[in-house]
Amino acid sequence: MPRRKKYPWEKLSDEQLLKRRLSSLRVTVEGTWLEDCLNALYQELQEKGIQLRPHAWISSEWFSPGNVPGIAIPFYLAHPRLMKLEKKMMLDVEGGSWSECMAILRHEAGHAIQHGYQLQRRRQWQKLFGPSSKRYPRYYRPNPASRQYVQHLRLWYAQSHPDEDFAETFAVWLRPRSNWRTRYAGWPALKKLEYVDELMEEIAGKRLVSRTRERVDPLHELGQTIGDHYQKKQAFYAFNPPKTYDRDLLRLFSADPRHRRSRPASTFIRRHRAHIRQLVARWTGENQLTLDAVLDDMISRCRELDLRAVGSDRKLVADFTVLLTAKTMHALFGPSRRKWIAL
């Protein structure tokens, strides 16, 4: 294992680091755990008989540019100090574990293969997935019960656009031991998986249509500060929660003067918020930053109503987690729900 390269910004405080420009970070894929992830992806592609090895570079976020058979990886994954900052600013590190990084890489590899072989030009591809030329929406409304799509990345992402539908289907097909024939038996989505299976066998050994090694928005060309980057990223997930929690909070916590010596409900929520937030994010697919805004509002309402946490922590945590999950799903899918932001 090569020694990790040292950078002058590693020991900076968060405040100082946020003032640095993205271009000054100088991090690369080479010599990091990301290189191991890419090699694992290449091995999976080789085992499926796919010749393309998508090139990868560091940028501001995950993406695979149109007509470029390559993958951009977000800068924060290239160094533990940057992952720590991402965690503080976004409450989560997308792709920060081996399994999650591989899941996203498989998805992006689907895009890269589509671009490299221009698969969207095929009539059957268009029939199954839809027109690739369709504009990406700012928002999309998924149906969690739909069996027309595979389920891979969070937020039922396959439903956002035909290109994402293909990339998600490819990722499920590529993942070792996914057992997709059994998992999706009886689903209309199985036809898409079977098509991908046939298509990958057909293009095996064929010359790429697009062989460019272009790197779009490489890190060294990004002049914005890290602080500006996170300001925009946080605004993307901003959500002003409606104040509709009072009745539910009054059921869960107590406003009875007899319990005035019990712990404030606001203190209880603050103590358990990180654990509950992570659980609900995993179950609903909602961003942790958005959930944190909801929790802030609930804490404020508990203070204003002078609610008290009565009973065992274990039961209260379970009940409050159910409440937050229900409120989140209602906000996302209820009749007055906000629209989902496409990732």
Side-chain angles (χ1 to χ4, degrees):
M1 182 78 178
R3 288 185 63 183
R4 193 173 73 223
K5 183 178 178 181
K6 292 191 177 297
Y7 298 91
W9 43 258
E10 286 185 45
K11 302 298 182 181
L12 295 180
S13 67
D14 289 344
E15 184 179 2
Q16 292 170 322
L17 187 53
L18 288 169
K19 293 177 181 177
R20 296 288 296 261
R21 296 191 183 278
L22 287 169
S23 56
S24 73
L25 294 176
R26 306 291 182 183
V27 290
T28 62
V29 171
E30 293 73 26
T32 71
W33 72 291
L34 295 171
E35 191 171 28
D36 295 333
C37 290
L38 277 169
N39 287 332
L41 174 69
Y42 295 160
Q43 181 64 34
E44 291 178 8
L45 293 171
Q46 181 180 335
E47 289 174 359
K48 292 287 191 176
I50 299 171
Q51 290 194 353
L52 175 64
R53 302 293 179 267
H55 63 292
W57 65 98
I58 299 296
S59 186
S60 60
E61 59 182 331
W62 288 102
F63 65 95
S64 179
N67 298 320
V68 177
I71 300 170
I73 300 175
F75 66 92
Y76 59 82
L77 292 179
H79 196 282
R81 175 69 181 92
L82 300 175
M83 291 177 73
K84 182 179 179 182
L85 182 64
E86 175 78 7
K87 177 74 172 178
K88 178 180 179 180
M89 301 303 292
M90 301 304 300
L91 304 179
D92 194 14
V93 182
E94 186 180 26
S97 67
W98 177 276
S99 61
E100 190 175 5
C101 186
M102 290 303 300
I104 299 174
L105 281 174
R106 293 183 191 107
H107 172 96
E108 298 300 345
H111 286 307
I113 285 171
Q114 177 191 335
H115 300 152
Y117 289 97
Q118 294 294 291
L119 300 176
Q120 72 277 4
R121 296 178 180 176
R122 294 170 175 252
R123 186 174 299 175
Q124 185 63 11
W125 194 100
Q126 295 171 9
K127 181 180 178 182
L128 287 171
F129 299 104
S132 178
S133 58
K134 178 181 177 182
R135 291 186 64 179
Y136 266 81
R138 287 190 63 191
Y139 307 99
Y140 68 102
R141 183 178 185 176
N143 173 11
S146 176
R147 295 192 166 195
Q148 300 285 341
Y149 306 88
V150 298
Q151 296 177 358
H152 178 62
L153 297 182
R154 68 188 187 91
L155 297 176
W156 298 274
Y157 196 32
Q159 300 184 38
S160 65
H161 188 272
D163 287 357
E164 305 305 339
D165 189 6
F166 173 77
E168 288 287 81
T169 304
F170 176 86
V172 168
W173 172 84
L174 180 64
R175 184 172 65 85
R177 299 175 297 280
S178 69
N179 200 21
W180 54 267
R181 291 187 189 276
T182 302
R183 166 69 177 82
Y184 290 96
W187 288 42
L190 184 61
K191 289 184 179 180
K192 297 176 183 177
L193 285 160
E194 290 172 340
Y195 172 70
V196 168
D197 192 49
E198 296 168 2
L199 184 58
M200 292 306 109
E201 185 176 354
E202 179 189 335
I203 67 174
K206 286 193 175 180
R207 183 185 178 90
L208 288 166
V209 176
S210 174
R211 306 183 70 176
T212 177
R213 304 289 288 181
E214 182 182 0
R215 299 184 173 200
V216 177
D217 291 338
L219 193 67
H220 70 269
E221 293 182 2
L222 302 181
Q224 69 177 149
T225 66
I226 300 173
D228 286 342
H229 164 78
Y230 280 116
Q231 188 174 26
K232 292 178 182 177
K233 193 171 182 179
Q234 288 172 344
F236 188 78
Y237 293 107
F239 171 47
N240 295 318
K243 295 184 181 299
T244 58
Y245 309 122
D246 290 9
R247 183 166 54 181
D248 298 289
L249 291 172
L250 283 163
R251 287 198 193 107
L252 184 58
F253 302 115
S254 176
D256 194 319
R258 292 179 302 168
H259 297 134
R260 64 182 180 276
R261 295 186 181 277
S262 298
R263 287 170 303 160
S266 57
T267 301
F268 164 82
I269 297 174
R270 283 201 308 273
R271 179 181 177 186
H272 297 284
R273 71 185 296 165
H275 173 63
I276 292 171
R277 186 183 64 223
Q278 290 164 7
L279 281 177
V280 176
R282 186 160 68 240
W283 290 343
T284 65
E286 182 58 275
N287 182 271
Q288 288 202 45
L289 205 66
T290 303
L291 291 173
D292 215 47
V294 176
L295 288 167
D296 279 340
D297 192 61
M298 285 183 163
I299 288 170
S300 176
R301 297 304 301 149
C302 284
R303 285 201 193 106
E304 292 176 29
L305 296 169
D306 194 23
L307 298 180
R308 302 287 161 165
V310 181
S312 72
D313 270 21
R314 184 174 181 179
K315 186 176 187 308
L316 283 173
V317 165
D319 290 346
F320 187 81
T321 301
V322 170
L323 168 61
L324 183 57
T325 301
K327 284 295 178 184
T328 301
M329 296 306 287
H330 180 76
L332 294 173
F333 298 110
S336 60
R337 46 167 279 291
R338 67 180 176 91
K339 293 181 177 178
W340 277 27
I341 298 174
L343 297 183

